[in-house]
Amino acid sequence: MSSIELSDDVASLEAGLDALDKPVTLREPLAARLRRSVLPPVVAVAFLVAVWLVVVALHLKPTYVIPTPADVWASLGQYWSEGAVQEAVWNSLRRAFVGFAVAAVVGTALGLLMSQFRFVRTAIGPLVSGLQSLPSVAWVPAAIIWFGLSDGAIYMVVLLGAVPSIANGLLSGVSQVPPLYLRVGRVLGARGFTAIRYVVLPAAMPGYLGGLRQGWAFAWRSLMAAELITFSPALGTSLGQLLQIGRELSDMSLVMAAILLILVVGVGIELLVFSPIERRMLRARGLNVGPT
Amino acid sequence: MTSATVSETPEGQWAVADLPPPLAPPAIVLERVTKRFSGDGSRPAVLEDVSLTVAEGEFVCLLGASGCGKSTLLSLVAGLDKPTSGTVETPAGGTALMFQEAALFPWLTAGQNIELALKLRGVDRRDRREETDRLLATVHLSGQHGSRVHELSGGMRQRVALARALAQQARILLMDEPFAALDAITRDVLHEELIRVWEETGLAVVFVTHNVREAVRLGQRVELMSSRPGRFVRRWQVEIDGPRRIESAGVSELSKEITDDLRREIRRHAVLPAAVTAGSRS
């Protein structure tokens, strides 16, 4: 039949066009990618350590004020052998994860409510944005008065630090969803909660993930402020508490070791958890991954 | 009202009829539909007193310049918007709608986009994969199930969008300038593809375009619309024997006639320099 011939003809035509038109995506080889993304930060860290060594060598201040990298390393080793470092990192991470998880639930619910109901958005939008710029350490005195020197006080500060970022991230993600996607969703029969589940939330994912990422940074920061001030032996060793012990003992090596630990854990979670998720999501959507 | 003119049919290539022949029961009936977006009537209606009947299995092209309300009309038929007055009747089971952009969801693969349409229609999970593969084969994209949207060319994306529209199993397919953003070669191939799918499925198609040749190439009927307010001004029953191509003589000839009418409609909106100065003086 001629119609079958014709249809076969279209098929081969299309196959040819597809082969010609399909966008070509090149992927950098692993070695090149590592060289491009890992080498610069390693050089930067080496440079900072070098500057540090020069400053120490100049004898501007005695070594109990500016300790050498070796002193800091030794201090770290000592507290490690006592088990204090492991306990501190574990306690702080545990609190950060629990606090962040609760903040994610609350922030997501808040962000969804704000995105779906104009009244809620107008009513509490400015408040949430305002909270985002309020340093959460400002909540520590209130938290201690309400909850005493307890985990409760710490969690309150972490939540108030992280929730606004997550809610605002989701809100901005939803507001950037192309209206065309919503129309397509409606045509396909997605309404109400189904539309949120299958269209709005996935489409808003880039903004939402950005909010979660910022929420994590705020949670970690708030946690350190809270642990530093909410000082009680009953709470166990934590990174914030290591800082406080170092200050009381005037042990600058310990203080710097604690700062490094806080930095390493914060950056580590960012690099090991959030960056890969974000990169994968953006790449899957064909969006620019940007500098990493 | 629609003022279709009867003209001779040179060499039996096309005919202009007063009314569409009663082919099949109607799939879409628009009765005296008016749509305005300003509530107080300060701006002219986008659509004014528009009536249209599309039979089951019929392929109708709506043709018009900017501002004729073609897209608004599709939104009304798709149920995405409500008319200010008049009635829109469509069969149960809804309508499928395609846009100028493929509007595939970029967080899903090509196949998952189709599967989502099936899922939202309530198709059982076990049957979805098989049905998706069948639909991908229909648009000659077997093996592209796992392709990401950005890995596909514009034409391939529109074919996935077509497969997704077919997944809805609606009896009506609405198309809003679906090939306008594609290059001429791809568009030509997709015309052929669309006609093949239409013949296989027996869908009623309402195809909106501002491309006269495209309208004549595809449609059994071409409806010319005027702009501001949108109205139907003339209709042609396209009867060209044999397989049609964009460069067919019959297509060219009818396109010329329709283009002349379209230009006449557009000229009515010309703001002449004299009129502008007169307006600014007063």
Side-chain angles (χ1 to χ4, degrees):
Chain A
M1 265 308 289
S2 73
S3 77
I4 290 167
E5 260 169 42
L6 198 69
S7 132
D8 282 348
D9 185 32
V10 179
S12 58
L13 243 180
E14 275 176 347
L17 267 184
D18 292 349
L20 289 172
D21 285 346
K22 203 168 166 168
V24 183
T25 39
L26 291 173
R27 268 197 92 168
E28 229 179 334
L30 184 69
R33 220 164 54 233
L34 283 180
R35 198 160 56 234
R36 192 171 52 81
S37 61
V38 175
L39 196 62
V42 169
V43 170
V45 168
F47 177 74
L48 282 178
V49 172
V51 170
W52 182 359
L53 285 169
V54 168
V55 170
V56 173
L58 289 175
H59 293 295
L60 297 173
K61 297 271 180 185
T63 47
Y64 62 84
V65 179
I66 303 181
T68 65
D71 293 337
V72 174
W73 185 251
S75 173
L76 204 56
Q78 184 205 328
Y79 282 91
W80 178 276
S81 62
E82 290 171 13
V85 169
Q86 297 90 314
E87 197 194 332
V89 170
W90 165 247
N91 272 330
S92 292
L93 263 184
R94 180 178 50 81
R95 286 193 189 119
F97 277 136
V98 172
F100 177 72
V102 176
V105 172
V106 176
T108 304
L110 197 61
L112 266 184
L113 280 176
M114 280 163 64
S115 71
Q116 298 302 311
F117 302 103
R118 176 188 283 275
F119 179 81
V120 180
R121 185 160 64 244
T122 323
I124 64 170
L127 183 68
V128 172
S129 295
L131 278 178
Q132 204 175 354
S133 53
L134 178 77
S136 55
V137 67
W139 290 106
V140 174
I144 292 177
I145 291 171
W146 285 339
F147 294 98
L149 296 174
S150 67
D151 270 355
I154 293 175
Y155 284 133
M156 173 183 152
V157 177
V158 170
L159 281 183
L160 282 163
V163 167
S165 293
I166 297 171
N168 262 340
L170 179 55
L171 184 62
S172 81
V174 171
S175 67
Q176 282 167 23
V177 174
L180 188 57
Y181 290 167
L182 304 178
R183 281 164 67 86
V184 170
R186 280 187 62 190
V187 169
L188 294 179
R191 270 152 220 255
F193 181 75
T194 315
I196 291 176
R197 162 80 180 75
Y198 291 107
V199 183
V200 177
L201 276 184
M205 199 46 86
Y208 181 44
L209 209 59
L212 285 176
R213 189 178 185 155
Q214 200 188 18
W216 164 259
F218 275 56
W220 187 240
R221 240 188 258 192
S222 311
L223 178 67
M224 289 309 120
E227 283 182 346
L228 188 60
I229 301 175
T230 318
F231 186 85
S232 157
L235 290 176
T237 318
S238 63
L239 287 173
Q241 239 172 21
L242 277 187
L243 273 179
Q244 178 67 8
I245 293 167
R247 189 180 76 92
E248 284 183 351
L249 301 177
S250 283
D251 182 350
M252 190 59 193
S253 297
L254 175 59
V255 170
M256 290 193 74
I259 290 176
L260 281 178
L261 280 174
I262 293 168
L263 204 64
V264 165
V265 173
V267 172
I269 297 291
E270 169 91 23
L271 286 181
L272 295 178
V273 179
F274 287 99
S275 287
I277 295 178
E278 194 164 35
R279 242 198 335 270
R280 253 186 75 186
M281 178 197 65
L282 292 178
R283 182 166 292 134
R285 291 170 191 223
L287 296 170
N288 196 6
V289 174
T292 46
Chain B
M1 258 319 288
T2 317
S3 62
T5 41
V6 184
S7 78
E8 68 280 66
T9 55
E11 293 123 295
Q13 278 190 313
W14 73 79
V16 179
D18 249 326
L19 289 164
L23 298 158
I28 306 172
V29 181
L30 270 72
E31 198 105 41
R32 309 204 59 169
V33 166
T34 295
K35 177 69 188 177
R36 50 181 89 242
F37 286 111
S38 57
D40 53 357
S42 58
R43 280 188 293 162
V46 183
L47 291 169
E48 194 169 84
D49 203 15
V50 164
S51 297
L52 175 75
T53 304
V54 177
E56 267 178 29
E58 195 183 6
F59 199 127
V60 178
C61 289
L62 306 185
L63 182 70
S66 302
C68 72
K70 328 173 264 225
S71 300
T72 307
L73 193 141
L74 284 198
S75 287
L76 293 176
V77 176
L80 293 176
D81 211 345
K82 290 202 182 337
T84 311
S85 65
T87 55
V88 178
E89 280 173 44
T90 52
T95 50
L97 176 56
M98 278 178 69
F99 304 91
Q100 181 172 332
E101 292 168 69
L104 300 174
F105 295 144
W107 57 90
L108 301 174
T109 63
Q112 287 169 338
N113 265 284
I114 299 169
E115 277 174 20
L116 179 60
L118 295 170
K119 179 183 194 141
L120 292 172
R121 205 187 86 209
V123 175
D124 201 68
R125 177 190 290 273
R126 278 161 300 177
D127 303 331
R128 271 183 232 148
R129 179 68 201 232
E130 200 181 324
E131 179 71 1
T132 299
D133 286 342
R134 195 185 63 74
L135 287 163
L136 279 171
T138 304
V139 295
H140 299 144
L141 283 174
S142 298
Q144 297 288 352
H145 191 286
S147 293
R148 289 284 171 183
V149 174
H150 68 275
E151 295 168 339
L152 303 173
S153 70
M156 292 162 93
R157 284 179 212 173
Q158 278 300 14
R159 275 144 66 200
V160 176
L162 176 59
R164 178 173 68 176
L166 295 176
Q168 286 182 254
Q169 287 217 327
R171 295 306 302 149
I172 298 171
L173 175 59
L174 308 171
M175 307 182 87
D176 193 355
E177 301 187 28
F179 306 142
L182 301 176
D183 66 88
I185 300 171
T186 305
R187 192 185 307 141
D188 188 39
V189 174
L190 286 193
H191 285 159
E192 209 148 326
E193 170 94 45
L194 174 60
I195 290 299
R196 186 182 58 79
V197 168
W198 169 64
E199 283 170 348
E200 278 173 13
T201 56
L203 287 169
V205 178
V206 180
F207 188 103
V208 158
T209 180
H210 53 244
N211 183 331
V212 179
R213 273 174 176 265
E214 184 173 59
V216 177
R217 159 76 178 85
L218 295 172
Q220 293 178 301
R221 173 153 61 107
V222 177
E223 295 271 1
L224 180 64
M225 296 181 77
S226 68
S227 300
R228 292 192 197 125
R231 285 197 187 110
F232 289 114
V233 290
R234 204 174 158 191
R235 83 159 57 97
W236 289 264
Q237 232 21 78
V238 185
E239 281 161 11
I240 298 173
D241 294 330
R244 244 182 266 172
R245 308 256 309 243
I246 197 92
E247 60 277 357
S248 303
V251 171
S252 297
E253 223 168 311
L254 182 52
S255 295
K256 185 177 171 301
E257 181 187 324
I258 296 179
T259 303
D260 289 342
D261 267 36
L262 178 62
R263 288 183 174 177
R264 199 171 311 132
E265 275 307 315
I266 294 168
R267 282 204 185 92
R268 288 198 308 111
H269 293 274
V271 181
L272 298 170
V276 173
T277 26
S280 64
R281 229 182 275 136
S282 63

